[in-house]
Amino acid sequence: MKISHIEHLGIPVQSIEESLPYFENVLGLKCYNIETVEDQKVKTAFLRCGEVKIELLEPTSPESTIQKWMDKGNKGVHHVAFCIEDGVANALAEVSEKGIRLIDQQPRKGAEGLNIAFLHPKSTAGVLTELCEHPE
């Protein structure tokens, strides 16, 4: 698996509208994309910070994994996403062979049209890890 860079940091928020002023007016970052990912029950907002993106995640349903995560009292960074140069499917096979527990057995579509897959934090030093690739 070849990682080129951190693709984004996922940060859950109750409201993108209420959270954006901090990121834009205080930190000086600019939101360039807001979209809803229906199958993940989440609305996302992306901001750039150099080469890394910040993804704000607003749950759109009580059944959203983001809402459930926040309901447990969790705050702060939810996941770290790495850009994979040699394909998410290849990376999943490689980490699975190394004993890493997979949340996604196959890549699926995520925000911004990326192919994504998650690795379970119980086998990744407690860090929910997302593998991403830009589609060809």
Side-chain angles (χ1 to χ4, degrees):
M1 169 172 55
K2 185 174 181 188
I3 295 174
S4 64
H5 62 280
I6 293 175
E7 213 289 324
H8 66 267
L9 300 173
I11 301 173
V13 296
Q14 275 304 153
S15 166
I16 287 173
E17 183 179 331
E18 292 175 12
S19 301
L20 271 180
Y22 168 70
F23 290 93
E24 292 189 318
N25 301 335
V26 176
L27 298 180
L29 304 174
K30 295 297 173 211
C31 178
Y32 68 88
N33 184 38
I34 295 178
E35 69 180 273
T36 299
V37 183
E38 295 292 340
D39 69 325
Q40 294 178 38
K41 298 177 179 74
V42 69
K43 179 178 172 183
T44 64
F46 284 92
L47 307 102
R48 284 202 185 278
C49 182
E51 295 294 316
V52 177
K53 295 183 272 183
I54 307 273
E55 177 188 33
L56 302 181
L57 301 150
E58 176 185 317
T60 59
S61 164
E63 290 80 40
S64 165
T65 57
I66 295 300
Q67 184 63 59
K68 290 176 183 177
W69 188 82
M70 290 191 298
D71 287 347
K72 292 178 184 175
N74 294 312
K75 297 182 188 290
V77 175
H78 176 261
H79 67 271
V80 177
F82 294 98
C83 187
I84 307 299
E85 289 186 352
D86 50 349
V88 172
N90 292 336
L92 287 172
E94 182 180 329
V95 298
S96 180
E97 288 174 11
K98 294 179 179 178
I100 299 298
R101 187 172 160 191
L102 307 179
I103 292 175
D104 296 301
Q105 304 299 313
Q106 307 245 343
R108 58 186 164 106
K109 286 293 179 200
E112 296 196 304
L114 295 175
N115 296 322
I116 66 166
F118 284 90
L119 308 180
H120 201 286
K122 287 187 177 177
S123 62
T124 58
V127 178
L128 179 59
T129 303
E130 182 179 2
L131 306 177
C132 302
E133 70 179 326
H134 295 272
E136 296 178 14

